[in-house]
Amino acid sequence: MAAAKAHQRACDLLATQRPLTVQEREFVLRHWQESQNSTTVTTLAGAFFTPLDLAKDLALYVSGAVRLIDLGAGIGALAWAAYRNMVAGYLSPPHVEIVCVERNPEYVAVGRRVLPEAEWICADLFALPDDLRDFDVAVSNPPFGRTPRSGRGPRYTGRCTEYHVIDVAADLARRGVFLVPQTSAPFRYSGTPDHRWDRSAEYLRFAQQTGIVLEFNCGIDTAIYPGWRGVRPTVEIVTCDFTERRTSRELRLPPPDEQGQLALLAA
Ligand SMILES: C[S@@+](CC[C@H](N)C(=O)[O-])C[C@H]1O[C@@H](n2cnc3c(N)ncnc32)[C@H](O)[C@@H]1O
């Protein structure tokens, strides 16, 4: 009931004709829920909106970026947090460019009210125009696992949509930061005292096919955040430097600080 009321308040804010304040935008990001509006089962489409406080943590990784693209932007949680970080601390905010790609027009309409400073493109991220290039950073909380897809990444041929999205991002930006299911990250950190590297066969396939290595973050435990609106996925933040593609041979060598991983990497 409280959720329905808060969602209605978010809708009322969106229906006003004036620009929203910072507090109002964040209220919408925290409380707008598609499931309160329609009979669509949001989770089937993989549309778990990121809790705003987690989005703000992830935005630590956009520091220094001027051009950013958000793939599968939803209503704009990641893009909003990134935007706030990109312009933060400047008396006269620097020029920044944010592009949000989202295929659901209802989300795009909400996103345009939450972050009108961004360019919102209602499109399929697997069929983007060629002129979307040269971003400093790509961010995404993509659909996870075997969600239905219209296309695939340019190199990866496996089953995980999150890896396909990262593969797409690698051709658009110099670096990336993503939320992925914990099982798709090469480490276990969030929600467990047993911190360790753990590379699945599917991760190794992704790395071998794309040359992309997913790296650890600065120690963000995503499990502390409630606010997933009805779901509670276990996720990790992974970072990547897309300018550093590894060859198959390099991927087989143990990283200097992870001698114990040799067997896994060579698998
Ligand atoms: C897990 S949600 C995350 C939304 C938002 N990034 C956030 O963090 O709150 C994934 C989003 O990707 C969108 N999406 C799924 N497949 C897509 C595609 N092929 N092209 C564009 N957007 C897509 C969904 O509609 C959904 O909004």
Side-chain angles (χ1 to χ4, degrees):
M1 195 57 195
K5 264 191 166 168
H7 170 74
Q8 188 51 52
R9 164 90 182 122
C11 292
D12 294 345
L13 288 170
L14 292 168
T16 61
Q17 298 300 312
R18 58 175 175 75
L20 301 179
T21 66
V22 166
Q23 286 74 20
E24 288 169 340
R25 299 183 202 204
E26 295 206 347
F27 187 91
V28 172
L29 285 169
R30 288 185 198 281
H31 298 291
W32 191 88
Q33 295 189 53
E34 182 191 41
S35 57
Q36 301 287 341
N37 263 354
S38 68
T39 53
T40 313
V41 182
T42 314
T43 50
L44 281 185
F48 309 123
F49 297 143
T50 307
L52 189 55
D53 300 304
L54 174 55
K56 288 179 179 179
D57 273 359
L58 185 144
L60 290 171
Y61 277 95
V62 310
S63 291
V66 174
R67 297 191 73 225
L68 175 143
I69 188 163
D70 183 345
L71 296 172
I75 60 172
L78 298 185
W80 164 255
Y83 171 75
R84 294 287 284 169
N85 199 348
M86 288 159 83
V87 301
Y90 293 92
L91 289 176
S92 167
H95 172 73
V96 298
E97 184 183 341
I98 296 185
V99 173
C100 294
V101 178
E102 170 56 53
R103 71 175 174 191
N104 183 323
E106 196 182 359
Y107 299 168
V108 170
V110 176
R112 285 192 171 125
R113 293 283 284 135
V114 167
L115 188 56
E117 293 84 355
E119 178 186 355
W120 282 83
I121 302 178
C122 191
D124 185 343
L125 70 89
F126 290 110
L128 289 177
D130 285 342
D131 58 348
L132 283 179
R133 297 246 168 241
D134 293 328
F135 289 91
D136 297 311
V137 61
V139 300
S140 184
N141 167 9
F144 294 167
R146 293 173 185 259
T147 42
R149 271 180 290 110
S150 56
R152 44 164 281 217
R155 293 154 287 258
Y156 171 64
T157 59
R159 61 178 186 267
C160 294
T161 300
E162 59 274 23
Y163 291 150
H164 285 286
V165 175
I166 295 171
D167 195 14
V168 168
D171 286 351
L172 307 180
R174 283 178 278 285
R175 56 196 166 95
V177 51
F178 306 96
L179 273 185
V180 297
Q182 189 174 62
T183 47
S184 294
F187 53 86
R188 301 276 170 273
Y189 184 81
S190 296
T192 171
D194 178 24
H195 301 158
R196 63 196 155 90
W197 294 100
D198 186 359
R199 297 170 172 86
S200 67
E202 195 59 27
Y203 169 75
L204 292 171
R205 171 185 179 151
F206 163 77
Q208 291 285 349
Q209 290 185 330
T210 63
I212 298 166
V213 172
L214 302 184
E215 290 167 7
F216 189 51
N217 57 71
C218 57
I220 298 166
D221 186 339
T222 67
I224 67 169
Y225 294 108
W228 280 98
R229 278 164 270 196
V231 291
R232 196 71 199 255
T234 304
V235 297
E236 300 286 9
I237 292 174
V238 294
T239 63
C240 358
D241 180 348
F242 293 132
T243 65
E244 287 280 321
R245 302 286 180 85
R246 315 291 163 87
T247 62
S248 290
R249 189 175 168 280
E250 286 169 332
L251 285 165
R252 283 176 198 283
L253 296 173
D257 56 341
E258 296 170 44
Q259 300 296 331
Q261 293 299 317
L262 179 58
L264 255 181
L265 281 165

